[in-house]
Amino acid sequence: MSNAKSQRISIRDLAAMTAKGQKWSMITSYDAVTAQIFDEAGAPVLLVGDSAGNNFLGEENTIPVTLDEMVILSRAVVRGSKSALVVADLPFGTYESSAKKALASATRLFKEAKVQAVKLEGGNKVIPQIKKLIDSGIPVMGHLGLTPQSVHALGGFKVQGRGEGAAAIIKDAKALEKAGVFAIVLELIPAELAQEIADELTIPVIGIGAGVGCDAQVLVWTDLMGITSNPPKFAKAYRDLRNEMSSALKEWMTDVSTGNFPSEAQTFH
Ligand code: KIV
């Protein structure tokens, strides 16, 4: 029997960082390899986003991602990491219809993948689900603004909360905080609106395409590393891994064809 205690960052640690005005980062991860790299680099939060759909599983968007897929990806991320808090998305169709369904879905991610929190999209309409999960001991992260699971209803990947839409997002953000979420992602909304919400709420507000005024930032790892072929405007590529990986592969294939790989160093006698 193991008495090992979790050394992972907790939702309280995140709240404490925000209370001190210390900005923090969340990065997506969909597998054990990147989870280990990002964990060792000190990322406090790893998000097993359903963005795995379009950034890992070859889907057009997040909608087709299943709970079974999320369990497998999340389990890998938990296994690959030691210190980061791992948050998994509840995918489309696994929580909207009832609080009971939300609990059954989140329970799978909690028990089978051993994530430490879940994220779901939406405002007022998902409050019963959020309350049920929190009452059951499952920390919940909210997600407002551009909610990719509703991309068809929203008419595309467009900035949300301009003009009259701003009031609804503010109202939803306050309702989520009241319901007990430990943090909220704000995606693709005007910086001024995100700043207003971050100022208004006590819990951490995590921005993606929401300006610099948020308490934390999140990016999709393939965007950050320059792997995505058509990255969104709000993403910044800090490396060009797409070209790096492609040129490394070409170099190796040339060495294979010219008989320069394997060399003596990779050979056994
Ligand atoms: O699925 C995801 O990766 C996300 C982030 C973009 C916030 O929800």
Side-chain angles (χ1 to χ4, degrees), residues 26 28 30 47 49-51 62 89 119 121 143 185 187 208 218 220:
M26 173 164 90
T28 66
Y30 317 117
L47 172 66
D50 57 359
S51 56
T62 64
D89 264 331
K119 175 164 83 58
E121 297 182 3
H143 187 154
V185 169
E187 180 165 353
I208 177 161
V218 54
V220 167

